[in-house]
Amino acid sequence: MTDSTAPPAPRSVRLVVNGVPTTLELEPRVSLLDALREDLHLTGTKKGCNQGACGACTVLVDGRRIVSCLALAVQYDGREVTTIEGVGPHPLQDAFVHFDGLQCGYCTPGQICSAIGMLAEHERGAPSVVTDDVAVSPTLTRNEIRERMSGNLCRCGAYNGIVDAIESVVDHQAAGVSA
């Protein structure tokens, strides 16, 4: 007879985190966020609501943004995970500082990872709910940026600076200038 109160047996989970291959022994119920913070000691990714509503835990998996608090680490076996520690240097980091896209800084790692993922989505031509014509690649207007970043909350209210920072990087990229 098995003890139903015993935790599930750990499983090997292979990840490439910030370019470094790693294998962790994790219970199948461990979130990707907890594996990053508790097992790999990468504390740049923040635990905010732990319900997927605030975006503080946003990381990139194979270049796509996810909220890591809702992702089980075992689901991402063999995948490439990029946290804020693996992002830099990136023009968005300087732009966030220049345009006051941060105040307390708690949400900033998730905001930057989300913005990187959002820019990649836009580059692929993915529309958002405010895209006027889904048949053509959308222009990245302030309204588009706000909508696409709406899953990331900032308790300090630095939203205008965040949008300014992203818009600046987009404008520099369009002009062929590094930010």
Side-chain angles (χ1 to χ4, degrees), residues 13-19 31-33 36 45 57-84 87 113-114 116-118 120-121 124:
V13 179
R14 297 174 328 273
L15 302 167
V16 177
V17 180
N18 300 328
S31 71
L32 181 58
L33 173 63
L36 293 169
T45 305
C57 66
T58 303
V59 298
L60 302 168
V61 175
D62 298 333
R64 295 181 185 261
R65 58 187 172 162
I66 67 160
V67 286
S68 61
C69 70
L70 295 183
L72 296 175
V74 295
Q75 293 175 285
Y76 294 93
D77 186 39
R79 310 277 290 277
E80 189 167 326
V81 178
T82 304
T83 68
I84 192 65
V87 162
C113 285
S114 187
I116 291 168
M118 181 269 299
E121 291 165 10
R124 288 191 303 273

Side-chain angles (χ1 to χ4, degrees), residues 39-170:
D39 294 284
L40 296 177
H41 308 289
L42 296 170
T43 57
T45 305
K46 303 301 184 207
K47 184 179 280 194
C49 66
N50 211 29
Q51 298 175 356
C54 73
C57 66
T58 303
V59 298
L60 302 168
V61 175
D62 298 333
R64 295 181 185 261
R65 58 187 172 162
I66 67 160
V67 286
S68 61
C69 70
L70 295 183
L72 296 175
V74 295
Q75 293 175 285
Y76 294 93
D77 186 39
R79 310 277 290 277
E80 189 167 326
V81 178
T82 304
T83 68
I84 192 65
E85 290 92 345
V87 162
H90 193 281
L92 277 167
Q93 293 168 310
D94 290 334
F96 265 63
V97 172
H98 180 78
F99 289 97
D100 294 325
L102 62 124
Q103 287 181 28
C104 78
Y106 194 83
C107 71
T108 306
Q111 295 277 0
I112 289 174
C113 285
S114 187
I116 291 168
M118 181 269 299
L119 292 173
E121 291 165 10
H122 175 259
E123 194 172 294
R124 288 191 303 273
S128 79
V129 74
V130 299
T131 302
D132 290 328
D133 184 354
V134 297
V136 297
S137 185
T139 302
L140 204 51
T141 63
R142 289 182 73 79
N143 198 30
E144 278 282 345
I145 293 170
R146 285 185 188 283
E147 172 58 31
R148 291 168 184 262
M149 292 296 293
S150 65
N152 290 79
L153 304 180
C154 174
R155 290 182 180 204
C156 300
Y159 295 112
N160 288 332
I162 291 166
V163 173
D164 290 344
I166 295 168
E167 195 173 47
S168 169
V169 169
V170 169

